[in-house]
Coordinates of all heavy atoms in Angstrom, one line a residue:
Chain A
A47 N 54.7 49.5 -7.3 CA 55.9 48.9 -7.9 C 55.4 47.8 -8.9 O 54.2 47.6 -9.1 CB 56.7 48.2 -6.8
N48 N 56.4 47.3 -9.6 CA 56.1 46.2 -10.6 C 55.4 45.0 -9.8 O 55.9 44.5 -8.8 CB 57.4 45.6 -11.2 CG 58.0 46.6 -12.2 OD1 59.2 46.5 -12.4 ND2 57.2 47.5 -12.7
G49 N 54.3 44.6 -10.4 CA 53.6 43.5 -9.8 C 52.7 43.8 -8.6 O 52.2 43.0 -7.9
A50 N 52.5 45.1 -8.3 CA 51.7 45.5 -7.2 C 50.2 45.2 -7.4 O 49.5 45.1 -6.5 CB 51.9 47.0 -6.9
G51 N 49.8 45.2 -8.6 CA 48.4 44.8 -8.9 C 47.7 46.0 -9.6 O 46.4 46.0 -9.7
K52 N 48.4 46.9 -10.2 CA 47.7 48.1 -10.9 C 46.9 47.6 -12.1 O 45.7 47.9 -12.2 CB 48.8 49.1 -11.2 CG 49.6 49.5 -10.1 CD 50.7 50.6 -10.5 CE 51.7 50.1 -11.4 NZ 52.6 49.0 -10.9
T53 N 47.6 46.9 -13.0 CA 47.0 46.5 -14.2 C 45.8 45.5 -13.9 O 44.8 45.6 -14.5 CB 48.0 45.8 -15.1 OG1 49.0 46.7 -15.4 CG2 47.4 45.3 -16.4
S54 N 46.0 44.7 -12.9 CA 45.0 43.8 -12.5 C 43.7 44.5 -12.0 O 42.6 44.2 -12.4 CB 45.4 42.8 -11.4 OG 46.6 42.1 -11.9
L56 N 42.8 47.5 -13.0 CA 42.1 48.1 -14.1 C 41.3 47.1 -14.9 O 40.2 47.2 -15.3 CB 43.0 48.8 -15.1 CG 43.8 50.0 -14.5 CD1 44.6 50.8 -15.5 CD2 42.9 51.0 -13.8
E94 N 47.9 48.6 -21.1 CA 49.4 48.5 -21.0 C 49.9 47.8 -22.2 O 49.3 46.8 -22.7 CB 49.6 47.6 -19.8 CG 51.0 47.3 -19.4 CD 51.0 46.5 -18.1 OE1 50.6 45.4 -18.0 OE2 51.4 47.1 -17.1
G95 N 51.0 48.2 -22.7 CA 51.6 47.6 -23.9 C 50.8 47.8 -25.2 O 50.9 47.1 -26.1
D168 N 46.7 53.0 -18.5 CA 47.7 52.2 -17.9 C 49.1 52.6 -18.5 O 49.4 52.2 -19.6 CB 47.4 50.7 -18.2 CG 48.1 49.8 -17.2 OD1 49.0 50.3 -16.5 OD2 47.7 48.6 -17.1
E169 N 49.8 53.3 -17.7 CA 51.1 53.8 -18.1 C 51.1 54.5 -19.5 O 51.8 54.1 -20.4 CB 52.1 52.7 -18.1 CG 52.2 52.1 -16.7 CD 53.3 51.1 -16.5 OE1 54.4 51.3 -17.2 OE2 53.3 50.3 -15.6
V199 N 47.2 55.2 -14.1 CA 48.3 54.3 -13.5 C 49.6 54.8 -14.2 O 49.7 54.9 -15.4 CB 48.0 52.8 -13.9 CG1 49.3 52.0 -13.6 CG2 46.8 52.3 -13.1
Q201 N 54.1 54.9 -13.9 CA 55.4 54.7 -13.2 C 56.1 56.0 -13.0 O 56.9 56.1 -12.2 CB 56.2 53.7 -14.1 CG 55.7 52.3 -14.2 CD 55.8 51.6 -12.9 OE1 56.1 52.2 -11.8 NE2 55.6 50.3 -12.9
Chain C
L161 N 53.5 37.3 -15.8 CA 54.3 38.3 -15.0 C 53.8 39.7 -15.3 O 53.2 40.0 -16.4 CB 55.8 38.3 -15.5 CG 56.8 37.5 -14.5 CD1 56.2 36.2 -14.2 CD2 58.1 37.5 -15.1
S162 N 54.1 40.6 -14.4 CA 53.7 42.0 -14.6 C 54.6 42.6 -15.7 O 55.7 42.1 -15.9 CB 53.8 42.8 -13.3 OG 55.1 43.1 -13.0
Y163 N 54.2 43.7 -16.2 CA 54.9 44.3 -17.3 C 56.4 44.6 -17.0 O 57.3 44.2 -17.8 CB 54.2 45.6 -17.7 CG 54.7 46.2 -19.0 CD1 54.1 45.8 -20.2 CD2 55.7 47.1 -19.1 CE1 54.5 46.4 -21.4 CE2 56.2 47.6 -20.3 CZ 55.5 47.3 -21.5 OH 56.0 47.8 -22.7
G164 N 56.6 45.2 -15.9 CA 58.0 45.5 -15.5 C 58.9 44.2 -15.4 O 60.0 44.2 -15.8
G190 N 58.3 51.2 -18.2 CA 57.4 50.4 -17.3 C 58.0 50.2 -15.9 O 57.5 49.4 -15.1
Ligands
MG412 MG1 50.9 46.8 -15.1

Side-chain angles (χ1 to χ4, degrees):
Chain A
N48 287 156
K52 306 178 294 295
T53 300
S54 304
L56 298 189
E94 182 173 69
D168 199 345
E169 301 191 27
V199 167
Q201 292 292 9
Chain C
L161 257 53
S162 74
Y163 192 88

